[in-house]
Amino acid sequence: MSKGWPQEQLALASGLSVRTVQRVESEGAASLNTAMSLAATFEVDVSELQQTYQLETSRKQKLQYGLFIGLVILTLSLATQPLPLPDDPYSTYMRFMSYFLAGLGILIMIPNVISAFKHKQFFALALASIGAPLTTILLVGVFYLLLGLGKPKWELFALGLGGACILFKSLKKFNKSK
């Protein structure tokens, strides 16, 4: 990507098949011979090629975590909206704080959503947008139970477990499309 070569040109320059180049790009794994061919083509050491891939993978994972953290903050801020009471400064303050946290969650999510759109990860983004709020509900319910504040409804628990499964699927989709 740094040289602006399409996969076909890289395959031709390295003596590899286009399918091998596609597999290395999608999976991030290569045999020793393939890695040596790519390193020779780019005129770098094989270890430098691996470090570049690991840094790119780490950056993408951080973007995913930012998306999930933003979704959790947004969910919590929207779920804890106080009932507006007329002429009550505390109610107005709490509503302001809730909106502030919602905005913060959205700001955290923006770079991640843009990155997901750039990489055409629409399905993974949709799964994350459904799974993260539902998983947040599950975690809040578990904390509620652990603090002895009562038992959450089994329906919310089931929704939360379903959300965790959806969230796990979104992680797999994000990692698959690297």
Side-chain angles (χ1 to χ4, degrees):
M1 291 173 83
S2 64
K3 292 196 181 252
W5 292 353
Q7 292 174 336
E8 294 79 16
Q9 187 174 356
L10 177 58
L12 185 64
S14 63
L16 300 170
S17 70
V18 175
R19 179 66 195 123
T20 299
V21 170
Q22 290 171 341
R23 183 180 44 79
V24 170
E25 279 188 10
S26 67
E27 297 174 9
S31 68
L32 182 59
N33 289 337
T34 300
M36 289 174 63
S37 294
L38 291 171
T41 303
F42 292 121
E43 298 175 348
V44 296
D45 190 44
V46 175
S47 62
E48 186 179 331
L49 201 60
Q50 287 176 322
Q51 288 174 348
T52 303
Y53 171 75
Q54 288 172 344
L55 286 174
E56 182 65 21
T57 302
S58 173
R59 186 187 69 77
K60 286 181 181 177
Q61 286 174 338
K62 286 179 184 174
L63 282 175
Q64 288 174 21
Y65 297 141
L67 173 67
F68 298 132
I69 289 169
L71 283 167
V72 167
I73 291 171
L74 184 62
T75 302
L76 289 174
S77 68
L78 295 176
T80 58
Q81 280 285 327
L83 294 173
L85 300 173
D87 300 326
D88 180 24
Y90 180 74
S91 175
T92 304
Y93 170 76
M94 291 305 292
R95 208 169 46 244
F96 168 78
M97 289 305 295
S98 186
Y99 292 144
F100 175 78
L101 287 174
L104 180 65
I106 290 170
L107 283 176
I108 291 171
M109 288 172 25
I110 286 173
N112 310 297
V113 171
I114 291 170
S115 175
F117 271 95
K118 277 185 185 176
H119 294 96
K120 297 181 176 149
Q121 297 174 319
F122 308 117
F123 189 61
L125 186 60
L127 290 174
S129 298
I130 296 167
L134 293 175
T135 304
T136 303
I137 290 170
L138 173 66
L139 293 175
V140 168
V142 168
F143 284 130
Y144 195 77
L145 182 65
L146 291 175
L147 292 174
L149 299 173
K151 293 182 182 176
K153 301 265 186 197
W154 72 267
E155 295 91 348
L156 290 177
F157 188 74
L159 270 174
L161 285 178
C165 292
I166 293 170
L167 189 61
F168 179 71
K169 184 71 171 174
S170 76
L171 283 170
K172 286 177 68 174
K173 286 286 184 188
F174 274 121
N175 291 333
K176 192 177 198 178
S177 60
K178 285 182 182 178

